[in-house]
Amino acid sequence: MNLNKKTVKDIDLKGKKIIMRADFNVPLDGTTITDDTRIRAALPTINYVLKEGASLILMSHLGRPKGFDKKFSLKPVAEYLSDLLGQNIPVVEDCLGEEATEKATEMTPGTVIMLDNTRYYKEEQGKIKTDGMSDDEAVAAKSQMKQKQKAMAKKLASYADVYVNDAFGTAHRAHASTAVICDYMDECVSGFLIEKEIKFLGGVVANPEHPFVAIIGGAKVSGKLEVLETLLTKVDYILIGGGMAYTFLKALGHNVGGSLVENDLLETAKKTLDAAEKAGVNFMLPTDNLAADNFANDAEIKLVGQDIEDGWMALDVGPETAKAYAEVISKAKTVVWNGPMGCFEMPNFADATNVVCKAVAESSATSIIGGGDSVSAVQKSGLADQMSHISTGGGASLEFLEGKTLPGIAALNDR
């Protein structure tokens, strides 16, 4: 995948209509936005487009609606953004209907409209369930859905002169509004968010500074196998935390009590440890753990080593481990962090995650935080502004680090 992509700064925008895919998949409490991070992250590109004398059509998905459902409308986002931009942003409910065509046609430089949830339409994702169908019926149904997806992308493309993708969180999906649309437009460029993601994540993939430390946590090994495999060819240290640590410890013969374990991946875990040894990578596992007698903040807690008694479960790595990890991080030149060290949502099991967070913030390394929970932990710590880059896409950042092609980036114009 060529990462040298054109951005909004590389083309003339004056007097043009821009259709921009943003990531406004924000958390809502009813119609109240509880975290505006993703909206504010899109502002630099939005403001630049408007400053350059273009009109702007915004589109995004929100949640997982099954057809038209007002609970998943982008109207709260449009209202919030209206206040930030100082102009009313109308929402077009049916983004493939006549109203959308009319609104787009009427636009003048400096104005903004928003198309409602692109996932109101099955053809956005281009997937169809084929349960109960014969092989021939399934092939025909999938082909028909792909044609509908192309028709949706073509319709969206008809509204504008230029396509801008600034939704890195969905760049790993070949959806109508993220990738297929580029088949029907000549000018397809990135916004500033995707440009930044390419700069930092692309740099890690292509040419990281050493020592290179990867901190990998979270619940399961299964979601991180491919990134671990890729990182083994690049890093000097891998620091393991979270629930996934106990699959590795069990694979080494330790008793892990009631801790989270993927028993079907024990052999895979052994192979990963062997591969790390052959690659000369220091693959560090917890040497002590905080064990609890049940999954609750007010559970009885005790500090244990690498073996955990039956009836107890590890919910955080221990202070000795956190200190050892922090020491490694302090000497790093590049740090990638994906996944917390424990159940940080519960205060009694947040210590190790906080220690690691502080160590990353205080290090002189280029630090890249990717993945929803690690991003939440960093923001909760108040140290977010001390990180080099906080990725806006959990799944997308993982796939990028795995070396996979991201359709939403690959489809953009090369420089």
Side-chain angles (χ1 to χ4, degrees), residues 316-346:
D316 196 12
V317 305
E320 181 185 285
T321 301
K323 184 180 177 183
Y325 286 4
E327 191 173 331
V328 170
I329 292 163
S330 71
K331 297 169 185 171
K333 293 292 184 188
T334 304
V335 173
V336 169
W337 182 14
N338 190 292
M341 295 293 97
C343 301
F344 76 100
E345 302 91 342
M346 294 188 279

Side-chain angles (χ1 to χ4, degrees), residues 11-20 49 53-58 100-111 113 156-164 185 187:
I11 58 172
D12 179 20
L13 300 177
K14 190 172 182 181
K16 292 182 178 177
K17 286 177 182 160
I18 315 301
I19 187 163
M20 174 174 152
V49 167
S55 52
L56 181 61
I57 302 163
L58 293 167
T101 303
E102 289 169 12
K103 291 278 188 188
T105 303
E106 294 166 359
M107 293 185 79
T108 55
T111 57
I113 66 170
L156 293 173
S158 72
Y159 303 148
D161 308 300
V162 175
Y163 172 70
V164 175
M185 301 190 79
E187 289 192 301

Side-chain angles (χ1 to χ4, degrees), residues 148-178:
K148 287 182 177 180
Q149 186 184 50
K150 289 178 181 178
M152 177 176 178
K154 189 174 183 180
K155 179 70 172 175
L156 293 173
S158 72
Y159 303 148
D161 308 300
V162 175
Y163 172 70
V164 175
N165 192 349
D166 215 21
F168 182 73
T170 57
H172 58 317
R173 307 296 187 203
H175 291 173
S177 69
T178 63

Side-chain angles (χ1 to χ4, degrees), residues 114-131:
M114 187 177 292
L115 305 180
D116 215 338
N117 201 330
T118 56
R119 287 193 186 172
Y120 281 164
Y121 310 86
K122 286 182 181 177
E123 48 263 51
E124 159 73 326
Q125 297 179 75
K127 292 180 181 177
I128 188 167
K129 289 183 179 178
T130 56
D131 301 349

Side-chain angles (χ1 to χ4, degrees), residues 93-308:
E93 185 179 57
D94 182 0
C95 63
L96 302 181
E98 283 307 308
E99 185 190 1
T101 303
E102 289 169 12
K103 291 278 188 188
T105 303
E106 294 166 359
M107 293 185 79
T108 55
T111 57
V112 183
I113 66 170
M114 187 177 292
L115 305 180
D116 215 338
N117 201 330
T118 56
R119 287 193 186 172
Y120 281 164
Y121 310 86
K122 286 182 181 177
E123 48 263 51
E124 159 73 326
Q125 297 179 75
K127 292 180 181 177
I128 188 167
K129 289 183 179 178
T130 56
D131 301 349
M133 294 185 185
S134 68
D135 289 348
D136 287 347
E137 287 171 336
V139 169
K142 286 178 181 177
S143 175
Q144 187 179 37
M145 177 53 73
K146 285 297 175 189
Q147 291 307 310
K148 287 182 177 180
Q149 186 184 50
K150 289 178 181 178
M152 177 176 178
K154 189 174 183 180
K155 179 70 172 175
L156 293 173
S158 72
Y159 303 148
D161 308 300
V162 175
Y163 172 70
V164 175
N165 192 349
D166 215 21
F168 182 73
T170 57
H172 58 317
R173 307 296 187 203
H175 291 173
S177 69
T178 63
V180 186
I181 188 173
C182 294
D183 292 339
Y184 303 98
M185 301 190 79
D186 293 329
E187 289 192 301
C188 302
V189 300
S190 81
F192 298 131
L193 258 182
I194 282 189
E195 180 187 32
K196 191 180 179 191
E197 297 280 4
I198 290 173
K199 175 188 171 186
F200 281 96
L201 291 171
V204 163
V205 170
N207 191 28
E209 275 195 84
H210 293 268
F212 181 2
V213 177
I215 309 160
I216 307 295
K220 294 184 176 182
V221 177
S222 51
K224 306 286 172 74
L225 275 174
E226 288 184 77
V227 77
L228 282 171
E229 193 177 301
T230 302
L231 288 171
L232 284 176
T233 67
K234 299 178 183 298
V235 303
D236 303 292
Y237 292 85
I238 292 179
L239 315 181
I240 297 291
M244 64 188 295
Y246 307 103
T247 298
F248 284 106
L249 287 176
K250 188 170 182 178
L252 289 173
H254 293 285
N255 180 21
V256 296
S259 307
L260 181 64
V261 169
E262 291 174 277
N263 287 306
D264 57 330
L265 288 177
L266 292 175
E267 281 305 313
T268 303
K270 283 181 191 174
K271 287 177 184 175
T272 302
L273 291 165
D274 289 343
E277 189 174 351
K278 284 176 187 172
V281 173
N282 194 329
F283 198 100
M284 297 177 69
L285 292 166
T287 54
D288 63 339
N289 296 276
L290 279 188
D293 62 353
N294 67 81
F295 190 79
N297 189 56
D298 60 357
E300 187 178 340
I301 302 168
K302 66 177 176 180
L303 184 63
V304 299
Q306 289 186 310
D307 288 287
I308 299 147

